[in-house]
Amino acid sequence: MSRRISQGVLVVGSIGVLINIVDAIGTGRLEPHDAFAALVALGAGGELLEERRPRAAKALYAVASVLLVVAGSVAGARAWSSFFRGAAYDWLDLGLGVLVVLYVAVGAGQLLAHLSRRASSRRNAGMLSD
């Protein structure tokens, strides 16, 4: 993504965060979907920092991932519990719950593959030094 687009996304995401804060104060309730403007802002911030400060960018991406999993899990759990009780539910939240489960499964698979490759390379390095 170009730098100008990332800056625009950061501005729009930050405005969304401010709107959601004002809305949460006004209603007295914070909804799971209020976190998605922050996800956009964190992702754009990570994109902007990636070249100059890669560790800070990784930290922003990690915070965005945790926020995504928490907000998606809360929204999905509410919708799925309503679905199984036969109460009114939101299809978007149901889909979000499924997507979060898939996101976590893919992330866990990538982590396991990384750990497996790392252990394999250590074993191979150990065999070469013997």
Side-chain angles (χ1 to χ4, degrees):
M1 193 175 340
S2 77
R3 188 158 186 79
R4 183 174 300 282
I5 292 173
S6 296
Q7 289 171 341
V9 170
L10 180 61
V11 168
V12 170
S14 299
I15 291 170
V17 169
L18 292 174
I19 290 169
N20 287 335
I21 289 171
V22 170
D23 183 50
I25 291 170
T27 61
R29 184 170 180 186
L30 189 62
E31 293 292 328
H33 61 266
D34 291 338
F36 291 100
L39 286 171
V40 169
L42 287 168
E47 186 76 27
L48 290 169
L49 290 174
E50 202 158 13
E51 288 180 17
R52 294 184 183 149
R53 311 255 323 183
R55 293 180 77 194
K58 277 188 175 182
L60 286 179
Y61 290 142
V63 170
S65 294
V66 169
L67 186 60
L68 173 69
V69 169
V70 170
S73 297
V74 169
R78 286 182 186 172
W80 281 101
S81 67
S82 295
F83 176 77
F84 288 122
R85 284 182 298 166
Y89 57 88
D90 186 0
W91 279 99
L92 184 61
D93 288 344
L94 281 175
L96 185 61
V98 170
L99 289 175
V100 165
V101 168
L102 292 173
Y103 180 78
V104 170
V106 168
Q110 287 179 333
L111 180 63
L112 290 174
H114 175 74
L115 294 175
S116 174
R117 282 191 306 267
R118 197 169 174 190
S120 176
S121 67
R122 283 187 181 169
R123 266 181 287 177
N124 290 339
M127 293 174 125
L128 293 174
S129 66
D130 288 340

